[in-house]
């Protein structure tokens, strides 16, 4: 009888516990559903640097083909409660389990490497071998561009932080050697082309750190070293680094690499702007808009703080200096690495015409003639040359 009473009492306890668990579960589902329905929604995640899934619309077609349920799943995944904390926790769990390559996507073509968590708080792009023809086509198009213009041409392929700071990568982490691409560029250079080697210049073996910890770009001091190498190749005396004040304008910069592997304990970067100590009157023309500064400081209040340089990437920017009167006009095709180098170049050129072929749809050769360009250059990260096709934008129209 006593045994029976004990079983009955335990059974009642189990029933109470089951009711409590069920109520907690139902309340959690209800609160989560109410949050998804009524809480304000973001269209864009600045932390992840991507557009978030919008609320799906019900149609007969979407119900029939199953795309509605896929959209619901994506929408919930992009807007559930405590999402940022959950993402950071997932990153921490993966690191604890020994995973090194976070945020990768090897299912896409070409495969996209993720992020390594290196020493000294550095994040690094995972560099993969080039398995597409994108690099070959881009370099061939740039080579043809140099030949067709007939002007002095300076090609600066910029190595990534993972290439230049290999001692800081996780132990035995695989990383492609970007000298393979550099050697291919150098081997195919035409008579009017100088290829600028930055591998030793930007290496951390110099005792300096020339890359952001949370972003894929070189930092302001790395950009100066690139500028110095470029103008020396042009037989121009570089403006000494001492002629600039480097103003720290943000100590909360979390860049593109952070966006791929969010970790709330990650220390942000400090972003510096170079301010020329001597008198300089500069203008930047972007479309119909003219500004009296190369720094778009409104971006310092946003996630994408690197866009403080020139306001990010545009099809064409024209920078003019009324204090330089040497008649030299540089046309530079580029990716975003070049943006932070322009303030230094503006001390040596009367005009700098900056073209990003990703967004430019006119005939670049007509542009060169119409603007009496004297020098041409290409400044690209090697990884960008491997990943993004711009060859078709450099073809004669």
């Amino acid at each position: 009888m006593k045994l029976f009473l004990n079983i009955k009492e335990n059974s009642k306890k189990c029933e109470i516990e089951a009711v409590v668990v069920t109520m907690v579960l139902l309340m959690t589902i209800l609160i989560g559903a109410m949050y998804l329905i009524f809480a304000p929604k973001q269209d864009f995640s600045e932390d992840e640097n991507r557009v978030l899934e919008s609320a799906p619309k019900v149609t007969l077609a979407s119900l029939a083909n199953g795309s509605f349920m896929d959209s619901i799943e994506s929408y919930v995944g992009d807007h559930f409660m405590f999402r940022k904390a959950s993402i950071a926790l997932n990153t921490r769990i993966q690191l604890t389990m020994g995973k090194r390559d976070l945020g990768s996507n090897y299912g896409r073509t070409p495969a996209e490497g993720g992020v390594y968590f290196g020493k000294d708080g550095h994040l690094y792009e995972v560099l993969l071998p080039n398995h597409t023809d994108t690099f070959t086509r881009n370099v061939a198009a740039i080579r043809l561009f140099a030949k067709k213009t007939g002007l002095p041409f300076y090609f600066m392929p910029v190595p990534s932080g993972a290439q230049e700071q290999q001692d800081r990568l996780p132990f035995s982490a695989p990383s492609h050697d970007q000298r393979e691409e550099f050697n291919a560029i150098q081997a195919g250079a035409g008579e009017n082309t100088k290829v600028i080697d930055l591998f030793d210049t930007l290496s951390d073996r110099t005792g300096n750190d020339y890359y952001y910890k949370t972003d894929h770009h070189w930092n302001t001091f790395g950009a100066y070293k690139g500028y110095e190498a470029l103008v020396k190749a042009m037989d121009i005396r570089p403006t000494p680094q001492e002629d600039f004040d480097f103003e720290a304008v943000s100590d909360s910069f979390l860049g593109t690499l952070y966006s791929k592997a969010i970790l709330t304990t990650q220390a942000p970067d400090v972003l510096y702007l170079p301010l020329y100590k001597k008198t300089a009157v500069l203008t930047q023309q972007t479309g119909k808009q003219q500004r009296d500064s190369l720094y778009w400081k409104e971006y310092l209040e946003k996630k994408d703080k690197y866009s403080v340089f020139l306001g990010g990437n545009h099809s064409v920017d024209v920078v003019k200096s009324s204090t330089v009167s040497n008649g030299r006009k540089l046309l530079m095709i580029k990716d975003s690495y070049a943006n932070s180098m322009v303030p230094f170049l503006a001390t040596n050129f009367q005009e700098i015409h900056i073209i990003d072929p990703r967004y430019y749809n006119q005939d670049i050769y007509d542009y060169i003639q119409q603007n009496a360009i004297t020098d041409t250059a290409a400044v690209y990260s090697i990884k960008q040359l491997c990943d993004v096709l711009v060859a078709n934008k450099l073809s004669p129209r």
Side-chain angles (χ1 to χ4, degrees):
M1 178 64 72
K2 198 171 183 180
L3 178 62
F4 175 75
L5 289 174
N6 286 338
I7 292 173
K8 190 173 182 180
E9 187 177 340
N10 288 336
S11 178
K12 284 182 179 179
K13 286 182 180 178
C14 288
E15 287 178 6
I16 293 171
E17 290 175 0
V19 169
V20 171
V21 169
T22 302
M23 290 298 293
V24 170
L25 182 60
L26 287 173
M27 286 297 294
T28 302
I29 293 172
L30 180 62
I31 292 170
M34 295 290 284
Y35 180 86
L36 283 171
I37 295 170
F38 295 110
K41 303 297 184 297
Q42 289 182 314
D43 297 322
F44 184 82
S45 169
E46 288 203 334
D47 281 322
E48 297 168 88
N49 196 29
R50 70 176 182 88
V51 176
L52 299 177
E53 184 78 16
S54 57
K57 295 180 180 179
V58 184
T59 65
L60 290 175
S62 65
L63 287 171
N65 60 26
S67 61
F68 176 73
M69 293 307 298
D70 291 339
S71 297
I72 284 284
E73 184 179 342
S74 297
Y75 178 75
V76 171
D78 277 355
H79 297 282
F80 67 88
M81 193 183 299
F82 307 123
R83 182 171 178 273
K84 181 177 178 178
S86 299
I87 293 172
L89 177 61
N90 180 58
T91 300
R92 176 61 66 190
I93 290 170
Q94 290 187 71
L95 287 172
T96 303
M97 293 174 63
K99 185 173 181 181
R100 296 181 297 181
D101 182 355
L102 280 73
S104 57
N105 184 359
Y106 292 101
R108 62 168 288 187
T109 303
E112 181 181 348
V115 172
Y116 286 139
F117 280 74
K119 298 176 184 176
D120 305 321
H122 257 286
L123 306 181
Y124 295 102
E125 295 173 292
V126 176
L127 303 179
L128 302 176
N130 182 31
H131 291 306
T132 72
D133 64 350
T134 300
F135 172 78
T136 303
R137 291 173 64 186
N138 282 338
V139 172
I142 292 172
R143 189 183 306 133
L144 180 63
F145 167 81
K147 182 178 180 181
K148 186 171 174 59
T149 64
L151 295 169
F153 180 66
Y154 306 89
F155 195 169
M156 179 179 284
V158 185
S160 298
Q163 173 71 40
E164 297 299 276
Q165 301 182 352
Q166 295 183 31
D167 293 341
R168 302 189 194 192
L169 295 178
F171 176 72
S172 195
S175 187
H176 173 66
D177 188 351
Q178 292 182 321
R179 281 192 178 275
E180 180 180 321
E181 283 76 27
F182 177 82
N183 291 338
I185 292 169
Q186 198 167 46
E191 292 181 1
N192 64 328
T193 299
K194 287 186 180 179
V195 181
I196 299 155
D197 185 347
L198 294 178
F199 282 78
D200 292 337
T201 302
L202 297 177
S203 172
D204 64 351
R205 294 178 183 177
T206 62
N208 298 296
D209 189 346
Y210 292 124
Y211 292 86
Y212 290 114
K213 295 178 186 292
T214 69
D215 194 71
H216 67 285
H217 295 102
W218 52 19
N219 60 31
T220 306
F221 302 99
Y224 179 82
K225 299 304 289 186
Y227 151 76
E228 189 177 47
L230 177 60
V231 295
K232 282 182 178 178
M234 296 174 165
D235 295 322
I236 297 174
R237 180 180 174 273
T239 302
Q241 187 169 328
E242 296 74 30
D243 285 358
F244 297 90
D245 285 323
F246 290 84
E247 181 184 359
V249 292
S250 175
D251 60 1
S252 59
F253 177 34
L254 293 167
T256 54
L257 301 181
Y258 171 83
S259 296
K260 294 184 73 172
I262 294 172
L263 191 63
T264 51
T265 56
Q266 174 66 47
D269 282 294
V270 177
L271 190 147
Y272 292 89
L273 295 182
L275 305 176
Y276 193 38
K277 294 178 183 178
K278 299 181 181 179
T279 302
V281 181
L282 299 174
T283 60
Q284 178 187 346
Q285 187 80 33
T286 306
K288 295 181 180 180
Q289 181 183 13
Q290 180 171 300
R291 300 173 69 106
D292 296 327
S293 172
L294 306 185
Y295 305 132
W296 298 41
K297 292 193 175 181
E298 58 267 34
Y299 280 98
L300 296 175
E301 305 302 320
K302 302 178 181 181
K303 166 71 164 52
D304 182 18
K305 291 177 173 50
Y306 185 79
S307 287
V308 68
F309 297 104
L310 305 183
N313 300 311
H314 312 116
S315 59
V316 183
D317 289 294
V318 180
V319 173
K320 293 184 179 181
S321 172
S322 61
T323 50
V324 177
S325 56
N326 56 15
R328 296 190 78 160
K329 298 181 180 182
L330 172 67
L331 181 133
M332 182 165 55
I333 57 174
K334 59 89 187 181
D335 64 11
S336 54
Y337 263 73
N339 296 2
S340 55
M341 196 169 68
V342 172
F344 303 115
L345 287 168
T347 63
N348 300 107
F349 287 90
Q350 190 169 325
E351 294 181 10
I352 307 172
H353 297 253
I354 307 153
I355 292 182
D356 192 328
R358 292 173 293 183
Y359 314 111
Y360 187 73
N361 295 309
Q362 306 302 314
D363 191 311
I364 195 169
Y365 303 99
D366 287 345
Y367 186 96
I368 288 171
Q369 291 184 345
Q370 292 164 7
N371 291 278
I373 300 299
T374 61
D375 302 90
T376 58
V379 178
Y380 275 98
S381 92
I382 294 174
K383 190 173 188 304
Q384 181 88 356
L385 288 171
C386 295
D387 291 348
V388 179
L389 185 66
V390 295
N392 56 322
K393 298 296 189 74
L394 296 175
S395 302
R397 304 286 165 158

